[in-house]
Amino acid sequence: PVYGAQHPPLDPPLYWFPYRLKDTPKASSLNSKSKKPSTFHEFARSTNDAWDIDDEEDDGMFSLKQPSSSPVQSRSMPQTPCVKFIKAPEETESLPRPRDRQEFISTNPVQDRLDDESGPANGRVVKSCSDAQLNVNAARNTLQKQQSLPVRPVIPLVARISDQNASGAPPMTVREKTRLDKFKQLLASPNTDLEELRKHSWSGIPREVRPVTWRLLSGYLPANRERRDLVLQRKREEYFGFIEQYYHSRTDENHRDTYRQIHIDIPRTNPLIPLFQQPLVQEVFERILFIWAIRHPASGYVQGINDLVTPFFVVFLSEFVEEDVENFEMASLPQDTQRNIEADSFWCMSKLLDGIQDNYTFAQPGIQIKVKALEELVSRIDEDVHVHFQKCEVEYLQFAFRWMNNLLMRELPLRCTIRLWDTYQAESEGFSHFHLYVCAAFLIKWRKEILSMLDFQSLLMLLQNLPTIHWGNEEVGLLLAEAYRLKYMFADAPSHYKR
């Protein structure tokens, strides 16, 4: 049987209950039945909002043959009136409360018509409650719904963007306030010391200054403070010049396949976050990716590049949103602000991809080289894991390709990716060279779980669905510290790195 709001489960013996009312000895069995909740009651309690009675919403939706009565109706079954059966007052000592009464849904239209014409059988069938009771129930159910239903969509933990530690403690501590003041001091100087800025950014950038810091560290903004506004204006105008020059060609035969692939991939980008499912935001991503693909014919658009826009977009949007970025309506921003966020996201993503473009050229040689280097590195730092992969016949390319192609964005929540990229921006060759050691540290972190999987399928399933949903700044900080240790040991020690 198919159970649902429109098809509630019915207890077969109770289904024919109207016919058994005439048999007096069955009264005791009904009484015992009412003490033990039926299957329907268990279902109704778990979906109580589906059975609410609201006269205002349902008024005029149904018409019955007896206007004097007010039948109890089920919202979820508009095609069939609902009939309430209770025991006759002379056979019960006291009637149960309205919430505890037995309710039955009639699914027999013929019997409904017979009941309407003949009236109550032996005075035992009560087809309606009093209007006052219905009003009380409606008020109570409305209050319950207001208390239980969230005002905004519930965002899964994996999709929350706010900077939170795994413990749930707010990230702004006394130390963070001191660091924020230091960042503001650096950014306010006439010529920002980029080396000093990188040094402070390695352990995380405060949310308030992250947008301008990312623009500086990516090379999009100059260190000279007086030139920044002019550079921003010129680069933003240049981007929208590209839009006017190239975007109309997305329907041309030469570019049709590229645009089609972009159009398919955009809805898959962070599907759990409502922000990225807004048509306006998806149009922004389509323009950014198409213009980048047109201007970089050596690689063109490759699946995975769409993920690399999201951290920049969220960070630059956070300048104008205090909290709850996940549910923010992009259309509420002024048009000029929307254009500036789009242009800045394009240029910063372009700067990132300039350093790892060999990951996306034909045959993606950059990724293959990095995966091979990861295999060599893991074989040196944890031989047990490496041998375990060989025994289970798991190739590094089967799981690490995505780690390199998407920069671990599919393995970590977006909030963790943003924190990770603080350090990548601060590291020289952070997205290319340092990322290798982050992947190695990330793999070894799951050493215990990996060694517990004894076959190919379970091991690969683990590696493709690692449990990082509760990760926050603390976990990312530990991961980066381990990656730095590995880099310090192996990057400048080729004899340690190679067998």
Side-chain angles (χ1 to χ4, degrees):
V2 179
Y3 292 163
Q6 293 187 359
H7 302 281
L10 295 174
D11 195 342
L14 299 179
Y15 178 85
W16 298 104
F17 180 69
Y19 301 100
R20 294 189 177 184
L21 280 174
K22 299 177 182 179
D23 193 0
T24 305
K26 298 295 182 180
S28 60
S29 63
L30 173 63
N31 196 14
S32 62
K33 181 71 72 175
S34 62
K35 294 180 181 178
K36 182 179 180 181
S38 65
T39 305
F40 170 76
H41 275 278
E42 295 173 358
F43 177 83
R45 278 197 297 272
S46 64
T47 58
N48 54 359
D49 58 333
W51 308 101
D52 292 339
I53 300 172
D54 194 337
D55 292 335
E56 295 179 359
E57 293 182 11
D58 294 341
D59 188 24
M61 292 180 63
F62 311 108
S63 60
L64 297 178
K65 293 185 178 181
Q66 296 183 5
S68 60
S69 64
S70 173
V72 177
Q73 297 166 352
S74 171
R75 248 192 241 173
S76 55
M77 296 184 65
Q79 72 278 7
T80 306
C82 300
V83 183
K84 174 176 283 191
F85 298 91
I86 63 173
K87 293 189 64 179
E90 61 269 19
E91 294 185 10
T92 56
E93 296 179 2
S94 63
L95 285 174
R97 291 174 300 177
R99 290 179 65 89
D100 299 330
R101 292 179 182 177
Q102 279 281 13
E103 294 184 8
F104 302 96
I105 307 300
S106 174
T107 57
N108 191 336
V110 177
Q111 182 63 26
D112 292 340
R113 287 196 294 271
L114 291 174
D115 291 341
D116 288 339
E117 294 171 1
S118 61
N122 298 331
R124 293 180 180 144
V125 178
V126 180
K127 298 183 68 175
S128 64
C129 298
S130 64
D131 292 339
Q133 186 61 50
L134 283 177
N135 292 334
V136 172
N137 287 343
R140 181 172 58 239
N141 291 330
T142 302
L143 179 61
Q144 288 176 350
K145 286 191 290 185
Q146 290 175 352
Q147 294 175 348
S148 61
L149 295 179
V151 178
R152 293 173 176 166
V154 177
I155 306 300
L157 180 60
V158 70
R160 292 180 191 164
I161 303 175
S162 58
D163 289 339
Q164 288 263 332
N165 295 324
S167 59
M172 185 60 70
T173 60
V174 176
R175 177 176 176 271
E176 289 293 331
K177 290 180 181 178
T178 305
R179 295 185 67 251
L180 176 59
D181 293 339
K182 182 62 177 178
F183 271 93
K184 289 181 177 179
Q185 181 182 350
L186 284 170
L187 296 172
S189 61
N191 288 284
T192 301
D193 187 344
L194 294 181
E195 286 302 318
E196 190 71 12
L197 187 63
R198 288 191 179 94
K199 177 182 175 182
H200 286 80
S201 299
W202 204 98
S203 57
I205 303 172
R207 182 181 188 271
E208 293 82 356
V209 295
R210 183 176 278 140
V212 64
T213 304
W214 276 27
R215 292 187 186 103
L216 285 166
L217 295 181
S218 63
Y220 175 44
L221 278 186
N224 187 281
R225 188 179 179 187
E226 294 181 356
R227 295 178 52 221
R228 290 175 192 170
D229 291 339
L230 292 176
V231 170
L232 280 176
Q233 182 180 355
R234 176 174 59 84
K235 298 296 283 184
R236 289 166 177 171
E237 291 176 355
E238 185 178 357
Y239 168 72
F240 285 101
F242 295 152
I243 296 289
E244 296 177 3
Q245 183 178 357
Y246 297 118
Y247 195 60
H248 65 86
S249 66
R250 64 189 183 279
T251 57
D252 294 350
E253 186 176 355
N254 293 338
H255 303 142
R256 190 179 303 161
D257 291 342
T258 298
Y259 179 75
R260 177 181 172 275
Q261 189 61 57
I262 292 173
H263 189 73
I264 291 173
D265 289 347
I266 291 301
R268 303 171 182 170
T269 305
N270 295 292
L272 296 177
I273 302 179
L275 172 68
F276 297 109
Q277 302 310 308
Q278 299 175 23
L280 182 60
V281 174
Q282 293 184 354
E283 291 172 6
V284 168
F285 277 48
E286 286 181 359
R287 289 193 292 268
I288 291 175
L289 295 171
F290 183 77
I291 296 303
W292 188 88
I294 292 298
R295 297 188 70 246
H296 296 82
S299 61
Y301 174 75
V302 177
Q303 284 181 303
I305 295 180
N306 56 305
D307 288 330
L308 306 183
V309 187
T310 56
F312 293 113
F313 182 83
V314 168
V315 167
F316 297 145
L317 177 63
S318 67
E319 281 187 288
F320 310 97
V321 183
E322 290 297 327
E323 57 183 8
D324 201 15
V325 180
E326 304 92 337
N327 288 314
F328 184 75
E329 285 291 334
M330 186 71 175
S332 63
L333 287 176
Q335 188 69 28
D336 289 342
T337 302
Q338 296 179 28
R339 289 166 61 90
N340 293 343
I341 292 173
E342 178 178 347
D344 292 354
S345 300
F346 169 81
W347 286 114
C348 288
M349 185 199 73
S350 298
K351 293 288 187 181
L352 184 159
L353 289 172
D354 287 346
I356 57 173
Q357 191 170 357
D358 60 341
N359 286 6
Y360 306 104
T361 54
F362 178 73
Q364 299 180 269
I367 291 180
Q368 297 195 44
I369 292 172
K370 290 182 178 68
V371 171
K372 185 64 178 176
L374 177 65
E375 182 178 355
E376 291 289 337
L377 183 58
V378 172
S379 68
R380 300 298 296 166
I381 62 179
D382 197 325
E383 190 173 2
D384 291 341
V385 171
H386 181 69
V387 171
H388 188 66
F389 283 153
Q390 292 178 335
K391 288 181 179 178
C392 295
E393 298 181 349
V394 171
E395 299 290 338
Y396 283 78
L397 200 65
Q398 291 169 331
F399 64 89
F401 180 89
R402 190 172 74 181
W403 297 8
M404 304 299 178
N405 189 61
N406 301 84
L407 298 178
L408 286 176
M409 286 195 63
R410 297 289 178 90
E411 326 314 316
L412 299 173
L414 183 54
R415 61 183 180 275
C416 296
T417 298
I418 292 173
R419 168 62 190 91
L420 186 67
W421 284 22
D422 287 346
T423 301
Y424 282 4
Q425 300 267 17
E427 274 280 335
S428 59
E429 298 182 334
F431 291 98
S432 55
H433 185 62
F434 187 64
H435 180 67
L436 168 66
Y437 297 96
V438 172
C439 289
F442 186 65
L443 181 64
I444 299 305
K445 178 173 179 58
W446 308 104
R447 181 181 191 276
K448 181 179 179 181
E449 292 80 358
I450 289 172
L451 295 177
S452 67
M453 300 298 172
L454 303 179
D455 60 274
F456 173 86
Q457 182 177 356
S458 59
L459 182 53
L460 204 59
M461 286 290 290
L462 169 69
L463 293 169
Q464 292 179 347
N465 300 277
L466 291 166
T468 60
I469 183 173
H470 295 286
W471 275 35
N473 291 345
E474 295 173 357
E475 288 78 8
V476 176
L478 293 173
L479 178 69
L480 289 167
E482 178 63 16
Y484 183 81
R485 185 185 72 84
L486 293 175
K487 179 189 173 186
Y488 183 80
M489 290 177 61
F490 293 99
D492 298 323
S495 58
H496 292 177
Y497 184 73
K498 298 179 181 180
R499 290 186 179 276

